[in-house]
Amino acid sequence: MTIKTFIFLLLGLLFCQCNKETTTTDCILSQEATFAALDNCRDNILPEASEIAANLVGDWKLVGYGCGFCGPHNPPEAILKLTETSGILAFRDDFDGDTLLAFDWRLEQITNTLEEKATYRFKTEPNHYALNMDIFCSEFMFFDERPFDGQLMLYQKQ
């Protein structure tokens, strides 16, 4: 790898951000609004599985997106419709195209040994990478795998 290639990749990584001004997708919040929603949701997590499950029923829309290590691209679009045990995901992405997925869901308990409290993860069958939520509050749910070069997907209840 030449030094020019390395510098180009490094600059591309630094400038890789998705925001409302550079996308044709109108469902994505600004970076500031996304981070405010993440912080607010983390501060107001629904603690009980029964509360989370009851709150999940309804319609959800992808409103925030981020990527830990990817080239510039339009953010995906996603709509979720959830009942007590099943759901439908309508997903559009530059890489995978259009996906319509029917699935069954449940909450999986995860024990955090450091804080000695239970948290929950959204598990689906079949699985899709846009459905890995593990933070739930009344208005939002999300997962944030950017620290591991993954994605951030923030959904808002409609």
Side-chain angles (χ1 to χ4, degrees):
M1 178 183 288
T2 67
I3 190 72
K4 286 182 183 180
T5 304
F6 178 75
I7 291 172
F8 178 76
L9 289 172
L10 184 61
L11 288 174
L13 180 64
L14 290 174
F15 292 107
C16 172
Q17 67 175 342
C18 303
N19 61 42
K20 194 166 187 161
E21 292 75 46
T22 62
T23 181
T24 59
T25 306
D26 64 1
C27 69
I28 303 297
L29 298 173
S30 69
Q31 186 173 10
E32 295 80 19
T34 298
F35 289 140
L38 296 177
D39 290 341
N40 186 42
C41 194
R42 283 187 184 108
D43 291 341
N44 296 292
I45 289 175
L46 297 173
E48 301 295 326
S50 59
E51 285 181 87
I52 296 168
N55 189 62
L56 286 174
V57 174
D59 297 338
W60 296 82
K61 183 176 183 179
L62 182 70
V63 295
Y65 173 78
C67 189
F69 188 70
C70 62
H73 63 280
N74 288 329
E77 297 176 52
I79 301 285
L80 278 171
K81 295 189 180 291
L82 299 175
T83 68
E84 288 82 9
T85 59
S86 62
I88 296 175
L89 169 67
F91 188 78
R92 173 175 284 184
D93 182 62
D94 286 348
F95 301 110
D96 294 331
D98 294 344
T99 301
L100 185 61
L101 178 70
F103 57 88
D104 293 324
W105 70 268
R106 63 183 170 82
L107 290 174
E108 177 182 78
Q109 185 175 346
I110 304 162
T111 303
N112 182 337
T113 56
L114 294 176
E115 296 178 17
E116 295 184 3
K117 67 177 186 177
T119 59
Y120 299 91
R121 179 181 308 145
F122 189 74
K123 295 294 285 184
T124 66
E125 182 60 44
N127 190 23
H128 188 277
Y129 65 89
L131 299 173
N132 292 327
M133 281 71 70
D134 58 3
I135 304 288
F136 306 94
C137 56
S138 62
E139 187 179 356
F140 296 98
M141 65 178 169
F142 70 92
F143 67 93
D144 187 359
E145 296 173 351
R146 290 173 301 152
F148 310 106
D149 293 335
Q151 296 177 330
L152 160 72
M153 299 268 188
L154 172 67
Y155 292 88
Q156 185 175 28
K157 193 161 192 179
Q158 301 299 295

